[in-house]
Amino acid sequence: MTLPHETDPAPASAPAGSPAWWQARYAERDRRRPRQGGLTLDRITAAALELADQEGLEALTMRRLGEHLQVRHTSLYRHVGSREELLIETVDHMLGEIRLPELRGDWRAGLERGALEFRRVLAAHPAVVPLLTSGQLLGPNALRAREHALGQLLAHGWSPRSAVHVYLTVTHFVIGAAVLDSGGAARTAGQRAAMAQLFGSLSPLTHPSVHRHAELLNSPDAEAEFEFGLRTLLYGLDHRHAEEAPA
């Protein structure tokens, strides 16, 4: 299936971002060819991602994007039928920045590299991260990553059912951490110090463990927490893989 970048919006009957909507989008992309020198969906979503990075998600409107691209905003509707569709396509464009690693030799090390690469891309676009939880990731770049990960896991001896579970578990771990970070859970050094002070002020009679370990509770930064959680998760999956291996 070819996926040219210029397409008409999907039928309004299918909710934007739904499997039926994406199926209609793919069908249109197969039938149409981009106009030479004209706007393309790739150019539009690249500009939308850039605008969201610079000015925030709320600034990303069809009119503002038209100004950013120096085109009439009405011309954008040939490619996306609404702002909602624009956001969905922009998320998938962001996922296209992921460099997919080969799981050579040690599958666990390869999966760790892939998760860290996924996190790198999400950290570069914090304004767009909350959109990851608004629906299923079914665009061409999301499917490219899904196919790659499943294929690599299957090639390393995981059963189909377990490969799916491993892929989804690691993907959801990365997305969950990124959503928390983008929502303010990633603590700065100053915030960690303030929380340590708060915990230390608690009564050791009512909160003995929190009081005693006030500094330790706030010592890891977001990256340290993520890497510890990821490696612990992969360690557990490695044991599961060993249990599945034929005797």
Side-chain angles (χ1 to χ4, degrees):
M1 178 174 68
T2 58
L3 299 174
H5 290 298
E6 181 170 299
T7 179
D8 284 336
S13 58
S18 66
W21 182 85
W22 273 114
Q23 192 168 15
R25 296 286 280 179
Y26 287 138
E28 285 295 328
R29 294 180 190 201
D30 280 343
R31 289 195 295 266
R32 300 188 60 84
R33 295 181 180 179
R35 295 175 178 175
Q36 291 295 327
L39 275 177
T40 63
L41 181 60
D42 189 62
R43 182 184 167 199
I44 290 169
T45 51
L49 186 59
E50 180 180 56
L51 190 60
D53 290 342
Q54 294 174 355
E55 302 181 15
L57 202 59
E58 291 184 359
L60 182 53
T61 64
M62 301 295 274
R63 188 175 297 277
R64 179 68 186 92
L65 181 58
E67 294 172 356
H68 189 66
L69 285 165
Q70 298 184 327
V71 300
R72 294 176 60 182
H73 76 278
T74 53
S75 64
L76 302 176
Y77 288 98
R78 173 174 171 78
H79 306 272
V80 287
S82 65
R83 181 177 184 270
E84 183 182 10
E85 292 189 6
L86 171 67
L87 296 178
I88 292 166
E89 291 280 11
T90 299
V91 168
D92 193 66
H93 182 91
M94 174 184 68
L95 298 178
E97 295 182 2
I98 299 172
R99 299 187 294 262
L100 301 176
E102 294 295 326
L103 306 187
R104 297 191 182 94
D106 183 358
W107 68 267
R108 193 172 69 178
L111 204 56
E112 180 178 349
R113 289 194 301 272
L116 291 172
E117 170 64 9
F118 190 10
R119 180 170 172 82
R120 178 193 69 79
V121 171
L122 298 186
H125 306 289
V128 181
V129 166
L131 297 176
L132 292 168
T133 63
S134 62
Q136 296 293 320
L137 303 176
L138 301 173
N141 289 313
L143 294 184
R144 174 183 69 104
R146 191 179 301 237
E147 175 63 29
H148 174 85
L150 288 176
Q152 294 292 316
L153 289 167
L154 292 170
H156 280 76
W158 285 93
S159 69
R161 181 179 296 275
S162 292
V164 169
H165 284 308
V166 170
Y167 163 74
L168 292 176
T169 298
V170 175
T171 298
H172 293 165
F173 174 77
V174 176
I175 292 175
V179 169
L180 286 171
D181 290 348
S182 69
R187 301 184 296 274
T188 65
Q191 289 169 331
R192 292 199 302 274
M195 289 181 68
Q197 184 178 17
L198 170 64
F199 292 161
S201 70
L202 296 173
S203 169
L205 297 178
T206 56
H207 301 84
S209 298
V210 174
H211 174 85
R212 184 178 304 112
H213 303 295
E215 292 292 337
L216 188 60
L217 278 168
N218 291 281
S219 59
D221 60 17
E223 291 306 313
E225 290 178 7
F226 177 81
E227 291 180 10
F228 175 83
L230 176 62
R231 288 171 182 165
T232 301
L233 176 61
L234 294 175
Y235 179 80
L237 291 172
D238 195 24
H239 277 264
R240 177 64 180 267
H241 191 224
E243 291 174 358
E244 287 196 355

